[in-house]
Amino acid sequence: MQITLPNYSITFGALPNISHKGKVLIITNPKIAGLHLQFLLSKIQANEVYCLSLQDGETYKNMQSIELILESAFNHRLDRNSLMIAFGGGVIGDIVGFASGIFMRGIDFIQIPTTLLAQVDSSVGGKTGINNQFGKNLVGLFHQPKAVYIDTHFLKTLPKREFNAGIAEIIKMAICFDKDFFTSLKTTNWEDSKNLLECIYKVVSIKAQVVREDETEKGIRAALNYGHTFGHIIEAQSGYGHYLHGEAVSIGIVMANTLALRLNLITQQQYQEILQILKQNNLPTTYKIKDITTFYQAFFLDKKSINNKLKFVLPKGIGDFIFKEDTSKDLLMQILKEFQE
Amino acid sequence: MQITLPNYSITFGALPNISHKGKVLIITNPKIAGLHLQFLLSKIQANEVYCLSLQDGETYKNMQSIELILESAFNHRLDRNSLMIAFGGGVIGDIVGFASGIFMRGIDFIQIPTTLLAQVDSSVGGKTGINNQFGKNLVGLFHQPKAVYIDTHFLKTLPKREFNAGIAEIIKMAICFDKDFFTSLKTTNWEDSKNLLECIYKVVSIKAQVVREDETEKGIRAALNYGHTFGHIIEAQSGYGHYLHGEAVSIGIVMANTLALRLNLITQQQYQEILQILKQNNLPTTYKIKDITTFYQAFFLDKKSINNKLKFVLPKGIGDFIFKEDTSKDLLMQILKEFQE
């Protein structure tokens, strides 16, 4: 199975052989290296292959990791014809996309995502970036991979909690874009590898369509941030690493839905239906905000906030969404109060 | 006068008013701020205007300066609709281009170059980047400015040494692309502002044509690196800041010409003619290499070196050039020996 984007393809199924005329630098983390590096190496044919293992986790998604990748690339004398391979979850994918985008003003990279979240979301679409003290993904660039390989074999070693965090992004896509898909998720058997692969394929198809229409997020692509405007703040305020990204998105979905419910964009029943499916997949749905004023101010650091105007992605029933740009401070503070500690 | 590139224009003459619906962050250095910031501010109409002054010089063209710009941008709550203005020489232009390219995955920036070198070369074409311990401009990206304003008024306060360094890039362009232009440079009166502006316009026209054909340097654009392959190593080995960039390029031209002469690409007379015009403009033309093996190895860090194959831009007579990819180590070491300490 394959999905084609303007400049590259996303291939589903067993990892194929990767042949490259030039040097290859694989960037991974200690856990994935231990479990799967030998397998990956057996698939690569290249002049020289190097491997860099970085500390895992959102806290390491920073400029220091970028500098480590660049240093390794220079030490191994990579050139403009070299290839980087991101072999890991979303963090590895985002930092390798960024580092390969600025090494000698940009070289090719390949995404081989090893988490459900990275397979359904972050490995596709060319968004790269790092976090800083001001928030998530605030520094980075659009750099499309040369190829994405999605092999569910890697998910067999994924801890259940991380697997569930990936389901949050799947649910997000269904709510915004496809009601039938959302309904089917209620009975999806995640243990069934055929069912799982179909589900990943479905989500990536939706995402690819969105990215095709709007690669650099001037319009519709911003819909993919449903749940993220709240979620990013939760991640920053609770300290990166406390919640997995997908878990913060799950809470963010509930917060966005609280606003959507108040604005009569969804019914109480739809609100409950979404809450139910998140819970069913052991995703967190509650959060205690310590200081709602600080939380409110953090909205303005979001990349979607332009000229101090906030922009929320909200569900319109299930299977559709709207961009809401005129939410009053008053209303937002009321919503945040519902989550106050 | 104006030159149009696919996504922006280069405007020559008195700086026009700059109006922007959003926040503006000017990045400059203390000297330019002292001399010209009030003038620039009088030309800007925007919601909010902020200014960041960075230490001047090649030694500050590093990741720390990028982080300072990003920090300032976040502190002032810039968003995707904001604008950065690079107000200074090539260093300011290159780091602002880079920082604006990765802030929130890329926002607009304007180049207002205040040195001759930046006006004729670095402000046009979208190359951005920083230096690191491995060499010059090795980290960066292609990020085209939204506009370039070339106003020779700023050159009146430029020290003579820096002015001459700019002439080196003008001479470089003439040697590679235009024999008549090269001949005219022998009698150019740099004090005459009409003569000066015509000369800048001529060089930028040539560069714009090259960039139009090959924005991301897959082919002909690499010709602009004539003198730079040697020059970058000289800058790195002598410590950034010892030579001005244009001065290192001047020496680099002489070194490249020594190789070109040996390969019968230029005559002894042409070699002397070029040497003469560099000297006439008080540019350095000699250099003592401490260790030729180290110098030789540094070639392989050049961005133009692919798969360990060196690539030199060499003049073919005056007004034309070739890419030379099969230069033997033996020959190169002989050339370097001529510059040995």
Coordinates of all heavy atoms in Angstrom, one line a residue, chain A residues 21-22 63 67 70-71 74-75 77 79-81 98 101-105 127-128 132 134 137-142 217 301 303 305-308, chain B residues 21-22 63 67 70-71 74-75 77 79-81 98 101-105 127-128 132 134 137-142 217 301 303 305-308:
Chain A
K21 N 23.1 6.0 -2.6 CA 24.5 6.3 -3.0 C 25.1 7.5 -2.3 O 25.0 8.6 -2.8 CB 24.5 6.6 -4.5 CG 24.2 5.4 -5.4 CD 24.2 5.8 -6.9 CE 23.7 4.7 -7.7 NZ 23.2 5.1 -9.0
G22 N 25.6 7.2 -1.1 CA 26.2 8.3 -0.3 C 26.2 7.8 1.1 O 25.9 6.7 1.4
M63 N 17.3 22.5 21.2 CA 18.4 22.9 20.3 C 19.7 22.1 20.6 O 20.5 21.9 19.7 CB 18.7 24.4 20.5 CG 19.5 25.0 19.4 SD 18.8 24.9 17.7 CE 17.9 26.4 17.6
E67 N 22.1 20.3 17.8 CA 23.5 20.5 17.7 C 24.3 19.2 17.8 O 25.3 19.0 17.1 CB 24.0 21.4 18.9 CG 23.4 22.8 18.9 CD 24.3 23.9 18.5 OE1 25.2 23.6 17.6 OE2 24.1 25.0 19.0
L70 N 24.0 17.7 14.3 CA 24.9 18.4 13.3 C 26.3 18.1 13.6 O 27.1 17.8 12.6 CB 24.7 19.9 13.5 CG 23.3 20.5 13.1 CD1 23.2 22.0 13.4 CD2 23.0 20.3 11.6
E71 N 26.7 18.0 14.8 CA 28.1 17.7 15.2 C 28.5 16.3 14.6 O 29.5 16.1 14.0 CB 28.3 17.7 16.7 CG 29.7 17.9 17.1 CD 29.8 17.9 18.6 OE1 29.0 18.6 19.3 OE2 30.6 17.1 19.2
F74 N 28.8 16.4 10.9 CA 30.1 17.0 10.4 C 31.3 16.1 10.7 O 32.2 16.0 10.0 CB 30.3 18.4 11.1 CG 29.4 19.5 10.5 CD1 28.5 20.1 11.3 CD2 29.6 19.9 9.2 CE1 27.6 21.1 10.7 CE2 28.8 20.8 8.6 CZ 27.8 21.5 9.4
N75 N 31.2 15.5 11.9 CA 32.3 14.6 12.3 C 32.5 13.4 11.3 O 33.6 13.0 11.0 CB 32.1 14.0 13.7 CG 32.6 15.0 14.7 OD1 33.6 15.8 14.5 ND2 32.0 15.0 15.9
R77 N 31.7 13.6 8.3 CA 31.9 14.2 6.9 C 30.7 14.0 6.0 O 30.9 13.7 4.8 CB 33.2 13.7 6.3 CG 34.5 14.0 7.1 CD 34.9 15.5 6.9 NE 36.2 15.7 7.5 CZ 36.4 16.1 8.7 NH1 35.3 16.2 9.6 NH2 37.5 16.4 9.2
D79 N 27.8 15.0 3.5 CA 27.8 16.1 2.5 C 26.4 16.2 2.0 O 25.4 15.6 2.5 CB 28.8 15.8 1.4 CG 28.5 14.5 0.7 OD1 27.3 14.2 0.4 OD2 29.5 13.9 0.3
R80 N 26.2 17.1 1.0 CA 24.9 17.4 0.5 C 24.2 16.2 -0.2 O 23.0 16.2 -0.5 CB 24.9 18.5 -0.5 CG 25.1 19.9 0.2 CD 25.1 21.0 -0.8 NE 24.9 22.3 -0.2 CZ 25.0 23.4 -0.8 NH1 25.2 23.5 -2.1 NH2 24.8 24.6 -0.1
N81 N 25.0 15.1 -0.5 CA 24.4 13.9 -1.1 C 24.1 12.9 0.0 O 23.7 11.8 -0.3 CB 25.4 13.4 -2.1 CG 24.8 12.4 -3.0 OD1 23.6 12.6 -3.4 ND2 25.5 11.4 -3.4
F98 N 14.3 18.7 11.3 CA 14.9 20.0 11.5 C 16.4 20.0 11.2 O 16.9 20.8 10.4 CB 14.6 20.5 12.9 CG 15.0 21.9 13.2 CD1 15.2 22.8 12.2 CD2 15.1 22.3 14.5 CE1 15.5 24.1 12.5 CE2 15.4 23.7 14.8 CZ 15.6 24.6 13.8
G101 N 17.2 19.6 7.7 CA 16.8 20.8 7.0 C 17.7 22.0 7.0 O 17.7 22.8 6.2
I102 N 18.6 22.0 8.0 CA 19.5 23.1 8.2 C 21.0 22.7 8.0 O 21.9 23.5 7.9 CB 19.4 23.9 9.5 CG1 19.7 23.0 10.7 CG2 18.0 24.5 9.6 CD1 19.7 23.7 12.1
F103 N 21.2 21.3 7.9 CA 22.6 20.9 7.6 C 23.0 21.2 6.2 O 22.3 20.8 5.3 CB 22.7 19.4 7.9 CG 24.1 18.8 7.5 CD1 25.1 18.9 8.4 CD2 24.3 18.1 6.3 CE1 26.4 18.4 8.1 CE2 25.5 17.6 6.0 CZ 26.6 17.8 6.9
M104 N 24.0 22.1 6.0 CA 24.4 22.5 4.7 C 23.2 23.0 3.9 O 23.1 22.8 2.7 CB 25.1 21.4 3.9 CG 26.4 21.0 4.6 SD 27.5 20.1 3.5 CE 29.0 20.0 4.5
R105 N 22.3 23.7 4.6 CA 21.1 24.3 4.0 C 20.1 23.3 3.4 O 19.3 23.5 2.6 CB 21.4 25.3 2.9 CG 22.2 26.5 3.4 CD 22.1 27.7 2.5 NE 23.0 28.8 3.0 CZ 24.2 29.0 2.5 NH1 24.6 28.3 1.5 NH2 24.9 30.0 3.0
K127 N 6.3 18.8 8.9 CA 6.5 19.7 10.0 C 7.7 19.2 10.8 O 7.7 18.1 11.3 CB 5.3 19.8 10.8 CG 4.2 20.8 10.3 CD 3.2 21.0 11.4 CE 2.1 21.9 10.9 NZ 1.1 22.2 12.0
T128 N 8.6 20.1 11.1 CA 9.7 19.7 12.0 C 9.9 20.8 13.0 O 9.4 21.9 12.8 CB 11.0 19.6 11.2 OG1 11.6 20.9 11.0 CG2 10.8 18.9 9.8
N132 N 10.9 25.1 23.1 CA 11.8 25.9 24.0 C 11.0 26.4 25.2 O 9.8 26.0 25.4 CB 12.4 27.1 23.2 CG 11.3 28.1 22.6 OD1 10.2 28.0 23.1 ND2 11.7 28.9 21.7
F134 N 9.3 28.8 25.7 CA 8.1 29.5 25.4 C 6.9 28.6 24.9 O 5.8 29.0 24.9 CB 8.3 30.6 24.3 CG 9.3 31.7 24.7 CD1 10.7 31.6 24.4 CD2 8.9 32.7 25.5 CE1 11.6 32.5 24.8 CE2 9.8 33.7 25.9 CZ 11.2 33.6 25.5
N137 N 7.2 23.2 19.7 CA 7.3 23.3 18.2 C 7.4 24.8 17.7 O 7.0 25.0 16.6 CB 6.2 22.6 17.5 CG 6.1 21.1 17.9 OD1 7.2 20.5 18.1 ND2 4.9 20.6 17.9
L138 N 7.9 25.6 18.5 CA 7.9 27.1 18.2 C 9.0 27.4 17.2 O 9.1 28.5 16.6 CB 7.9 28.0 19.4 CG 6.6 27.9 20.2 CD1 6.7 28.8 21.4 CD2 5.4 28.4 19.4
V139 N 10.0 26.5 17.2 CA 11.2 26.8 16.3 C 11.3 25.6 15.4 O 11.3 24.4 15.9 CB 12.5 27.0 17.1 CG1 13.7 27.1 16.2 CG2 12.3 28.2 18.0
G140 N 11.4 25.8 14.1 CA 11.5 24.7 13.2 C 11.3 25.1 11.7 O 11.4 26.3 11.4
L141 N 11.0 24.2 10.9 CA 10.8 24.5 9.5 C 9.9 23.5 8.8 O 9.7 22.4 9.4 CB 12.1 24.8 8.7 CG 13.2 23.8 8.9 CD1 13.1 22.7 7.9 CD2 14.5 24.6 8.6
F142 N 9.4 23.8 7.6 CA 8.8 22.8 6.8 C 9.8 22.1 6.0 O 10.5 22.8 5.2 CB 7.7 23.4 5.9 CG 6.5 23.9 6.7 CD1 6.4 25.2 7.1 CD2 5.5 23.0 7.0 CE1 5.3 25.7 7.8 CE2 4.4 23.4 7.7 CZ 4.2 24.8 8.1
E217 N 0.4 25.2 6.0 CA -0.6 25.6 7.0 C -1.1 27.1 6.9 O -1.0 27.9 7.8 CB 0.0 25.4 8.4 CG -1.1 25.3 9.4 CD -0.6 24.8 10.8 OE1 -0.5 23.6 10.9 OE2 -0.4 25.7 11.7
L301 N 0.9 32.5 22.7 CA 2.2 32.1 22.1 C 2.0 31.0 21.1 O 2.9 30.6 20.4 CB 3.1 31.5 23.3 CG 3.8 32.5 24.1 CD1 4.5 31.9 25.3 CD2 4.9 33.2 23.2
K303 N 1.3 29.2 17.6 CA 1.6 29.7 16.3 C 0.4 30.1 15.5 O 0.5 30.8 14.5 CB 2.4 28.6 15.5 CG 3.8 28.3 16.0 CD 4.6 27.4 15.1 CE 4.0 26.0 15.0 NZ 3.9 25.3 16.3
S305 N -2.0 31.8 16.7 CA -2.5 33.1 17.2 C -1.8 34.2 16.4 O -0.6 34.4 16.4 CB -2.2 33.2 18.7 OG -1.9 34.5 19.0
I306 N -2.6 35.0 15.6 CA -2.0 36.0 14.7 C -2.5 37.4 15.2 O -3.7 37.5 15.4 CB -2.4 35.8 13.3 CG1 -2.0 34.3 12.8 CG2 -1.9 36.8 12.4 CD1 -0.7 34.2 12.1
N307 N -1.6 38.3 15.2 CA -2.0 39.7 15.7 C -2.9 39.7 16.9 O -3.9 40.4 17.1 CB -2.8 40.4 14.5 CG -1.9 40.8 13.4 OD1 -0.7 40.9 13.6 ND2 -2.5 41.1 12.3
N308 N -2.4 38.8 17.9 CA -3.1 38.7 19.2 C -4.6 38.2 19.1 O -5.4 38.4 20.0 CB -3.1 40.1 19.9 CG -1.7 40.2 20.6 OD1 -1.1 39.2 21.0 ND2 -1.3 41.4 20.8
Chain B
K21 N 1.4 45.5 8.4 CA 0.3 45.2 9.3 C 0.6 44.1 10.3 O 0.3 42.9 10.0 CB -1.0 44.8 8.5 CG -1.6 46.0 7.8 CD -2.9 45.5 7.0 CE -3.4 46.6 6.1 NZ -4.2 46.1 5.0
G22 N 1.3 44.4 11.3 CA 1.8 43.4 12.2 C 3.0 44.0 13.0 O 3.4 45.1 12.8
M63 N 25.2 30.1 16.5 CA 23.9 29.7 17.0 C 23.4 30.5 18.2 O 22.2 30.7 18.4 CB 23.9 28.2 17.4 CG 22.6 27.5 17.6 SD 21.5 27.6 16.1 CE 21.9 26.0 15.4
E67 N 19.8 32.2 18.7 CA 18.9 32.1 19.9 C 18.5 33.4 20.5 O 17.4 33.6 21.0 CB 19.7 31.3 21.0 CG 20.1 29.9 20.5 CD 19.3 28.8 21.1 OE1 18.1 29.0 21.4 OE2 19.8 27.6 21.3
L70 N 15.7 34.7 18.4 CA 14.4 34.0 18.7 C 13.8 34.4 20.1 O 12.6 34.6 20.2 CB 14.7 32.5 18.7 CG 15.1 31.9 17.3 CD1 15.5 30.4 17.5 CD2 14.0 32.0 16.3
E71 N 14.7 34.5 21.0 CA 14.3 34.9 22.4 C 13.6 36.3 22.3 O 12.5 36.5 22.9 CB 15.5 35.0 23.3 CG 15.1 34.8 24.8 CD 16.4 34.9 25.6 OE1 17.4 34.2 25.3 OE2 16.4 35.7 26.6
F74 N 10.2 35.9 20.7 CA 9.2 35.4 21.6 C 8.8 36.3 22.7 O 7.6 36.4 23.1 CB 9.7 34.0 22.2 CG 9.6 32.9 21.2 CD1 10.8 32.3 20.8 CD2 8.5 32.5 20.6 CE1 10.8 31.3 19.8 CE2 8.4 31.4 19.7 CZ 9.6 30.8 19.3
N75 N 9.8 37.0 23.3 CA 9.5 38.0 24.3 C 8.6 39.1 23.9 O 7.7 39.5 24.6 CB 10.8 38.6 24.9 CG 11.5 37.6 25.9 OD1 10.8 36.9 26.6 ND2 12.8 37.7 25.9
R77 N 6.4 38.7 21.6 CA 5.2 38.0 21.2 C 5.0 38.2 19.7 O 3.9 38.5 19.2 CB 3.9 38.5 21.9 CG 4.0 38.3 23.4 CD 3.6 36.9 23.7 NE 3.5 36.7 25.2 CZ 4.5 36.4 26.0 NH1 5.7 36.2 25.5 NH2 4.2 36.2 27.3
D79 N 4.4 37.0 15.9 CA 3.6 35.8 15.4 C 3.9 35.6 14.0 O 4.8 36.2 13.4 CB 2.1 36.0 15.7 CG 1.6 37.3 15.1 OD1 2.0 37.6 13.9 OD2 0.8 38.0 15.7
R80 N 3.1 34.7 13.4 CA 3.4 34.4 12.0 C 3.2 35.5 11.0 O 3.6 35.4 9.8 CB 2.6 33.2 11.6 CG 3.1 31.9 12.1 CD 2.3 30.7 11.6 NE 3.0 29.5 11.9 CZ 2.5 28.3 11.7 NH1 1.2 28.2 11.2 NH2 3.2 27.2 11.9
N81 N 2.5 36.5 11.5 CA 2.3 37.7 10.6 C 3.3 38.8 10.8 O 3.2 39.9 10.3 CB 0.9 38.2 10.9 CG 0.3 39.1 9.8 OD1 0.6 38.9 8.7 ND2 -0.4 40.2 10.3
F98 N 18.2 33.3 8.7 CA 18.1 32.0 9.3 C 17.1 32.1 10.4 O 16.1 31.2 10.5 CB 19.5 31.6 9.8 CG 19.6 30.2 10.4 CD1 18.6 29.3 10.1 CD2 20.7 29.8 11.2 CE1 18.7 28.0 10.6 CE2 20.8 28.5 11.7 CZ 19.8 27.6 11.4
G101 N 13.6 32.3 9.3 CA 13.3 31.1 8.6 C 12.8 29.9 9.5 O 12.1 29.0 9.1
I102 N 13.3 30.0 10.8 CA 12.9 28.9 11.7 C 12.0 29.4 12.8 O 11.4 28.5 13.5 CB 14.2 28.2 12.3 CG1 15.0 29.2 13.1 CG2 15.0 27.5 11.2 CD1 16.2 28.5 13.9
F103 N 11.8 30.7 12.9 CA 10.8 31.2 13.9 C 9.4 30.8 13.5 O 8.9 31.1 12.4 CB 10.9 32.7 14.1 CG 9.9 33.3 15.0 CD1 10.1 33.2 16.4 CD2 8.7 33.9 14.5 CE1 9.2 33.7 17.3 CE2 7.8 34.4 15.4 CZ 8.0 34.4 16.8
M104 N 8.7 30.0 14.3 CA 7.4 29.5 14.0 C 7.3 28.8 12.6 O 6.4 29.0 11.9 CB 6.3 30.5 14.2 CG 6.2 31.0 15.6 SD 4.7 31.9 15.9 CE 4.8 32.1 17.7
R105 N 8.4 28.2 12.2 CA 8.6 27.5 10.9 C 8.6 28.5 9.7 O 8.2 28.2 8.6 CB 7.5 26.5 10.7 CG 7.6 25.3 11.7 CD 6.9 24.0 11.2 NE 6.9 23.0 12.2 CZ 5.9 22.8 13.0 NH1 4.8 23.5 12.8 NH2 5.9 21.9 13.9
K127 N 20.3 32.9 0.6 CA 21.1 32.0 1.4 C 21.3 32.5 2.8 O 21.6 33.7 2.9 CB 22.5 31.9 0.8 CG 22.7 30.9 -0.4 CD 24.1 30.7 -0.7 CE 24.3 29.7 -1.8 NZ 25.7 29.5 -2.1
T128 N 21.0 31.7 3.8 CA 21.2 32.2 5.1 C 22.0 31.2 5.9 O 22.1 30.0 5.4 CB 19.8 32.3 5.8 OG1 19.4 31.0 6.2 CG2 18.8 32.9 5.0
N132 N 30.3 27.4 12.2 CA 30.5 26.6 13.4 C 32.0 26.2 13.4 O 32.7 26.6 12.5 CB 29.6 25.4 13.6 CG 29.7 24.4 12.4 OD1 30.6 24.4 11.7 ND2 28.7 23.6 12.3
F134 N 33.3 23.8 12.4 CA 33.7 23.0 11.2 C 33.9 23.9 9.9 O 34.5 23.5 9.0 CB 32.7 21.9 10.9 CG 32.6 20.9 12.0 CD1 31.6 21.0 12.9 CD2 33.5 19.8 12.1 CE1 31.5 20.1 14.0 CE2 33.4 18.9 13.1 CZ 32.4 19.1 14.1
N137 N 29.2 29.0 7.2 CA 27.8 28.8 6.5 C 27.4 27.4 6.4 O 26.7 27.0 5.5 CB 27.8 29.5 5.1 CG 28.1 31.0 5.2 OD1 27.8 31.7 6.1 ND2 28.8 31.5 4.2
L138 N 27.9 26.5 7.3 CA 27.6 25.1 7.1 C 26.2 24.7 7.7 O 25.7 23.7 7.4 CB 28.7 24.3 7.8 CG 30.1 24.3 7.2 CD1 31.1 23.5 7.9 CD2 30.0 23.8 5.7
V139 N 25.7 25.6 8.4 CA 24.3 25.4 9.0 C 23.4 26.6 8.6 O 23.8 27.7 8.7 CB 24.3 25.2 10.5 CG1 22.9 25.1 11.1 CG2 25.2 24.0 10.9
G140 N 22.3 26.3 8.0 CA 21.4 27.4 7.5 C 20.3 26.8 6.7 O 20.0 25.6 6.7
L141 N 19.7 27.7 5.9 CA 18.6 27.3 5.0 C 18.5 28.3 3.9 O 19.0 29.4 3.9 CB 17.3 27.0 5.7 CG 16.8 28.0 6.7 CD1 16.0 29.1 6.0 CD2 15.9 27.3 7.7
F142 N 17.7 27.9 2.8 CA 17.4 28.8 1.8 C 16.1 29.5 2.2 O 15.1 28.8 2.4 CB 17.2 28.1 0.4 CG 18.5 27.7 -0.2 CD1 18.9 26.4 0.0 CD2 19.2 28.5 -0.9 CE1 20.1 25.9 -0.5 CE2 20.5 28.1 -1.5 CZ 20.9 26.8 -1.3
E217 N 21.1 26.1 -5.7 CA 22.5 25.7 -6.0 C 22.7 24.3 -6.3 O 23.5 23.6 -5.8 CB 23.4 26.1 -4.8 CG 24.8 26.1 -5.2 CD 25.7 26.7 -4.0 OE1 25.8 27.9 -3.9 OE2 26.3 25.9 -3.3
L301 N 35.3 19.7 3.8 CA 34.1 20.2 4.6 C 33.3 21.1 3.8 O 32.2 21.6 4.2 CB 34.6 20.8 5.9 CG 34.9 19.8 7.0 CD1 35.6 20.5 8.2 CD2 33.7 19.1 7.5
K303 N 30.7 22.7 1.3 CA 29.4 22.2 0.9 C 29.4 21.7 -0.5 O 28.5 21.0 -0.9 CB 28.3 23.3 1.1 CG 28.0 23.6 2.6 CD 26.8 24.5 2.8 CE 27.0 25.9 2.2 NZ 28.1 26.7 2.7
S305 N 31.7 20.0 -1.8 CA 32.4 18.7 -1.9 C 31.4 17.6 -1.7 O 30.8 17.5 -0.6 CB 33.5 18.7 -0.9 OG 33.7 17.4 -0.4
I306 N 31.1 16.8 -2.7 CA 30.1 15.7 -2.6 C 30.8 14.4 -2.8 O 31.6 14.2 -3.7 CB 29.0 15.9 -3.8 CG1 28.4 17.3 -3.7 CG2 28.0 14.8 -3.7 CD1 27.1 17.4 -3.0
N307 N 30.4 13.4 -2.0 CA 31.0 12.1 -2.0 C 32.5 12.2 -2.1 O 33.2 11.4 -2.8 CB 30.5 11.3 -3.3 CG 29.1 10.8 -3.1 OD1 28.6 10.8 -1.9 ND2 28.4 10.5 -4.1
N308 N 33.1 13.0 -1.2 CA 34.6 13.2 -1.2 C 35.2 13.7 -2.5 O 36.4 13.5 -2.7 CB 35.2 11.9 -0.7 CG 35.1 11.8 0.8 OD1 35.2 12.8 1.5 ND2 35.1 10.6 1.4

